[in-house]
Amino acid sequence: MRPQDIRHRRPALVAAAAALVLVGAAAAQTGASAAAAGCQVTYAVNSQWQGGFGANVTITNVGDAINGWRLTWNFAAGQTVTQLWNGSFTQAGSQVSVTNVAYNGSIPTNGSTSFGFNGSWTGSNPTPTSFALNGVTCNGVVDPTTPPPTTPPPTTPPPTTTLPCDIYASGGTPCVAAHSTTRALYASYNGSLYQVRRSSDNTTRTIGVLSAGGRANSATQDSFCANTTCVITVIYDQSGRGNNLGYQGAGGIGGAVQPAVATRESLTVGGNKVYSLYINGNSSYWRDGHLTGIPTGAAPEGMYMVTSGTHVNSGCCFDYGNSETTRRADGAGAMDAIYFGTSCWFGGCSGSGPWVQADLEYGLYPGGSSSWNSNQRAFTSKFVTATLKNNGTSRFAIKGSNAQSGGLYTLYDGSLPRGYSPMRKQGAIILGSGGDCCIDNSNQSVGTFYEGAMVAGYPSDATENAVQANIVAAGYR
């Protein structure tokens, strides 16, 4: 995809933030008898725009362990919850009730759980002043008077560790390609993440994980690349389908660009040093996966990537997703890829980005038409989660978030643009460039890739929310 030089922008809306911490007692109604209970609730508005806001709520249990919870509060100015993750909610008038889901119902003493939501407001958006846990208002003390339960509460075994592709599989949308330079994306994965080549003697070394389901073994790279330059030549597919990405240049899969330098950026994930795929222009990776599970035609698919909101440009096009097997621009619907950057094709853009958009070939779409989507927002945090899903015939959705905190923000969920139904996907995988790169033209885009996956099927919102929660828990720093 080649960009059009359309740069009209409006100033971004100013976000507001507020936080409230309440400590108090509540009766934990988890069985026939109640136990001594207390809670601490932190309510934080982490983003706000005209008519809408995003918030995160953390419940800390300072009393006896509970199994099953319900948190209630009242909005004072008519606010409405529009979307919630890591819980289920109902709202009747001003009263909101949030209950646990299967994986976060148990909170041990001094343990905590959290959920996030998006909401709407008009006029003002004051912070709630009171919360109740399981029906009893938090009032600042732990209740010592209620008798202990006569029978032990039911025990819930600790959850098995799950990573993004385990979560997608449990949601019925298995990964068909999974790539990362930082960590395993399956709890059982104990193979190679990527390959580096050093300039001193042109030998290569694969970089694996420290343990099954763990972080990249950066010490192997540090030792191998000491006193020389290394580049990343292959990013291995963790799904078992062989959808490994090679660089689009001489010595790689053929083309006009170079592999990315392997040591441009180091970071930590879960406290472990790792390296990113840092594309500073003139680098791109590709794979023809149409025979190895990547959806083609109008088949539904989803995908996500973790990227950087601080290393971007307007060059076309920093993408991850489904692309042409021809490596040419083959018409509307031939691509289905996440785009992240500051390119604005259709005018009327709000602010300067960077934005999550859908590269569907012949267009970067912020929503379902060639008009700028007013629900779009910029993501400028160091680490950004971006998602795209497309049912192939009528609907697609794009979301984004800070990859260090909070839930996904829905940027668009609706009809495909005119001329893109049905989709005509070809089943190649692109990383770092648009679909018409890089046989005989070089890549103009810059960006950073940490991890990402493509899945067969249309992931549920709950599945995507759980993936985001796992990314936050991974601890990108």
Side-chain angles (χ1 to χ4, degrees), residues 27-411:
Q29 299 172 343
T30 60
S33 301
C39 68
Q40 174 175 296
V41 177
T42 303
Y43 178 102
V45 175
N46 47 42
S47 60
Q48 184 166 301
W49 56 98
Q50 186 61 45
F53 70 102
N56 193 73
V57 179
T58 299
I59 305 168
T60 300
N61 177 30
V62 297
D64 290 345
I66 60 175
N67 288 283
W69 53 266
R70 178 171 63 93
L71 188 73
T72 58
W73 72 88
N74 286 302
F75 279 129
Q79 301 101 311
T80 301
V81 175
T82 58
Q83 179 189 36
L84 187 140
W85 48 92
N86 295 333
S88 59
F89 78 97
T90 59
Q91 182 167 354
S94 63
Q95 185 176 69
V96 180
S97 176
V98 180
T99 56
N100 64 275
V101 288
Y103 55 80
N104 66 358
S106 298
I107 313 178
T109 301
N110 295 323
S112 62
T113 191
S114 63
F115 59 88
F117 67 90
N118 290 328
S120 62
W121 61 276
T122 57
S124 63
N125 185 26
T127 298
T129 58
S130 178
F131 292 85
L133 181 66
N134 289 337
V136 176
T137 302
C138 294
N139 61 12
V141 295
V142 176
D143 182 0
T145 60
T146 53
T150 56
T151 58
T155 59
T156 301
T160 302
T161 299
T162 57
L163 295 177
C165 283
D166 304 310
I167 295 168
Y168 277 118
S170 67
T173 52
C175 290
V176 292
H179 306 103
S180 178
T181 62
T182 64
R183 65 170 182 150
L185 301 181
Y186 294 86
S188 62
Y189 188 74
N190 199 24
S192 299
L193 297 180
Y194 60 101
Q195 180 190 82
V196 296
R197 185 181 70 209
R198 65 187 179 193
S199 61
S200 58
D201 58 6
N202 284 327
T203 58
T204 61
R205 180 67 55 87
T206 57
I207 310 301
V209 292
L210 291 165
S211 61
R215 312 301 195 246
N217 187 350
S218 62
T220 301
Q221 176 177 316
D222 288 339
S223 175
F224 182 72
C225 300
N227 303 316
T228 188
T229 299
C230 276
V231 294
I232 295 178
T233 51
V234 179
I235 305 159
Y236 292 105
D237 173 26
Q238 301 180 32
S239 76
R241 294 175 177 268
N243 286 315
N244 305 326
L245 296 171
Y247 73 92
Q248 299 195 75
I253 63 169
V257 299
Q258 304 298 318
V261 175
T263 53
R264 291 277 190 182
E265 181 191 47
S266 65
L267 61 146
T268 61
V269 176
N272 297 103
K273 177 186 176 182
V274 295
Y275 288 95
S276 69
L277 177 68
Y278 189 93
I279 292 178
N280 217 21
N282 201 35
S283 298
S284 178
Y285 295 76
W286 184 88
R287 154 81 181 185
D288 183 354
H290 81 282
L291 296 178
T292 48
I294 303 303
T296 59
E301 71 175 347
M303 63 201 72
Y304 86 95
M305 74 169 169
V306 178
T307 184
S308 171
T310 61
H311 179 227
V312 295
N313 76 346
S314 61
C316 185
C317 298
F318 191 80
D319 291 348
Y320 176 66
N322 201 315
S323 184
E324 291 96 334
T325 58
T326 63
R327 293 196 273 174
R328 306 288 187 189
D330 285 341
M335 289 183 66
D336 185 28
I338 301 168
Y339 165 79
F340 189 72
T342 61
S343 186
C344 175
W345 281 50
F346 299 126
C349 305
S350 177
S352 57
W355 304 286
V356 180
Q357 299 179 69
D359 191 341
L360 305 180
E361 194 58 278
Y362 285 17
L364 296 178
Y365 284 90
S369 71
S370 296
S371 299
W372 184 251
N373 171 19
S374 61
N375 207 40
Q376 268 285 346
R377 61 179 295 186
F379 293 95
T380 59
S381 56
K382 170 58 179 170
F383 303 101
V384 174
T385 305
T387 73
L388 167 65
K389 55 186 176 183
N390 189 329
N391 73 2
T393 57
S394 61
R395 178 185 179 191
F396 81 105
I398 46 178
K399 303 176 185 178
S401 181
N402 186 331
Q404 293 179 301
S405 64
L408 291 169
Y409 176 81
T410 300
L411 302 161

